[in-house]
Amino acid sequence: MKIVRNNEALEAFLSNYKLNNPSKSIGFVPTMGALHQGHISLINHAKTTSNLVVCSVFVNPTQFDKANDLENYPRTELADIEILHNNGCDVVYLPQFEDVYPEKNIDYNINLEGLDKVLEGKYRDGHFNGVCMVVERLLNLVQPDFAYFGLKDFQQVSIIKHMVRIRKLKTTIVPCPIIREKSGLAMSSRNTLLTDQQRLDATIINKTLEIGKKAYQEGHDYKKVREKMFTFFQSGNLELEYLEIVDNDTLLNSTILNSNTSICIAAYCGKIRLIDNCQF
Ligand code: AMP
């Protein structure tokens, strides 16, 4: 596995690869590190559909709305390199801030047509502007044929697809399923910040999603499905930020439940903010 730490090394490697392998495809997996099985599943998807797998590890400051969240974000570079090496990644890009943001004044503003004003966007001011900023920059640096994103970040996938469309980028965005722990808890780098007890408590999130899905399958309507989920969630001890049923395309609330609607939850387990979702 090739380890590159700046843009010059990345560009040198990729231009040489493209020159010698003009018909081969490049797959890209952007991450913020503290890698787990969820990230590995993206690498595995990339390996099945792309010839060269490039993974980036960069904790992107512009997408954090709270300074202490950025400060406390887990950073495990050595372990990440080992995981990537053991899981068939071909190139890991570990940039410095200046590589990703070379301009002194960062000025980026993208019109996400309201997709960024709902769900996470209501609570994390500027988050998706920061996400688009880093992803657009990384896609321009790597120029991959495919880029793989987890549906764990359901709204992020919609927004990145939108950004790629309006910026006319040549990368195809590939959404990948959510990977869960045995308990059902969606894997997340933030789970490492939970105590054992909190990890157990946090399973109320995925259990609530299951309750909602089951109620829908039993034929209950929007009102009843929501009511059952809220009642169940309140039996735990997490603090709910939102529980919404939304249309997969517009991300707006939907009272009609079908295979194109999703349930999205954000909740605090102690100080740790967790998100999860499922499709009906
Ligand atoms: P992050 O390092 O949290 O920025 O995540 C990097 C990528 O991994 C994003 O596309 C996430 O959606 C994806 N990801 C994170 N956790 C999971 C998971 N449990 N299952 C699938 N994909 C995930």
Side-chain angles (χ1 to χ4, degrees):
M1 182 176 75
K2 178 85 181 162
I3 300 174
V4 293
R5 291 186 178 274
N6 57 50
N7 296 349
E8 292 69 34
L10 178 73
E11 278 162 21
F13 182 90
L14 290 177
S15 57
N16 187 47
Y17 180 83
K18 284 174 191 166
L19 193 70
N20 291 310
N21 305 277
S23 60
K24 298 258 167 97
S25 59
I26 296 178
F28 179 48
V29 179
T31 81
M32 297 207 297
L35 301 180
H36 51 68
Q37 211 57 44
H39 299 109
I40 294 171
S41 77
L42 302 185
I43 307 266
N44 289 336
H45 276 272
K47 282 199 297 182
T48 58
T49 41
S50 296
N51 297 110
L52 184 84
V53 178
V54 181
C55 181
S56 63
V57 177
F58 177 64
V59 181
N60 173 38
T62 66
Q63 72 186 71
F64 284 81
D65 53 329
K66 292 195 178 85
N68 66 335
D69 190 21
L70 172 62
E71 229 166 78
N72 295 332
Y73 199 83
R75 289 163 172 86
T76 57
E77 187 183 288
L78 276 180
D80 291 345
I81 291 174
E82 194 177 338
I83 288 173
L84 291 171
H85 175 75
N86 292 340
N87 286 280
C89 174
D90 298 302
V91 184
V92 56
Y93 172 52
L94 301 153
Q96 295 298 309
F97 181 84
E98 295 72 27
D99 291 296
V100 180
Y101 299 114
E103 294 91 19
K104 284 227 163 55
N105 297 318
I106 304 171
D107 184 18
Y108 183 95
N109 236 312
I110 185 162
N111 181 0
L112 296 168
E113 286 168 25
L115 292 173
D116 56 333
K117 299 285 178 269
V118 294
L119 301 171
E120 291 295 283
K122 267 194 201 167
Y123 300 91
R124 302 188 69 189
D125 196 26
H127 170 65
F128 288 115
N129 198 59
V131 167
C132 287
M133 197 185 316
V134 74
V135 173
E136 183 170 356
R137 173 75 177 141
L138 292 171
L139 293 180
N140 281 323
L141 283 168
V142 178
Q143 308 247 341
D145 299 286
F146 302 97
Y148 303 82
F149 291 87
L151 283 166
K152 158 83 167 40
D153 298 285
F154 163 77
Q155 185 174 14
Q156 174 170 282
V157 172
S158 297
I159 284 178
I160 287 169
K161 278 185 174 170
H162 176 85
M163 181 270 283
V164 164
R165 204 166 41 241
I166 62 173
R167 296 291 210 229
K168 298 189 171 57
L169 305 183
K170 293 207 174 70
T171 303
T172 301
I173 302 302
V174 185
C176 300
I178 302 174
I179 304 300
R180 298 178 178 282
E181 295 183 3
K182 271 208 190 89
S183 64
L185 179 65
M187 288 197 179
S188 164
S189 304
R190 288 192 164 87
N191 292 355
T192 59
L193 304 173
L194 299 172
T195 63
D196 289 347
Q197 183 58 47
Q198 285 177 321
R199 251 178 206 249
L200 271 180
D201 294 347
T203 61
I204 192 90
I205 300 177
N206 50 285
K207 287 177 184 150
T208 301
L209 294 173
E210 286 303 322
I211 297 269
K213 215 167 150 172
K214 185 159 169 273
Y216 164 70
Q217 283 158 358
E218 286 168 355
H220 293 292
D221 65 3
Y222 169 81
K223 204 165 156 239
K224 190 75 191 168
V225 169
R226 261 178 74 91
E227 185 189 304
K228 278 178 175 272
M229 285 194 290
F230 274 105
T231 306
F232 182 75
F233 189 89
Q234 277 154 9
S235 71
N237 49 20
L238 266 63
E239 195 187 316
L240 188 64
E241 192 153 71
Y242 64 75
L243 188 169
E244 308 272 14
I245 296 175
V246 298
D247 179 275
N248 287 353
D249 301 317
T250 62
L251 306 184
L252 297 175
N253 282 114
S254 171
T255 53
I256 300 159
L257 311 185
N258 59 36
S259 58
N260 200 44
T261 43
S262 294
I263 317 167
C264 300
I265 295 181
Y268 277 92
C269 186
K271 287 197 165 67
I272 310 304
R273 189 174 182 280
L274 301 170
I275 58 169
D276 200 352
N277 69 86
C278 78
Q279 313 242 329
F280 279 112

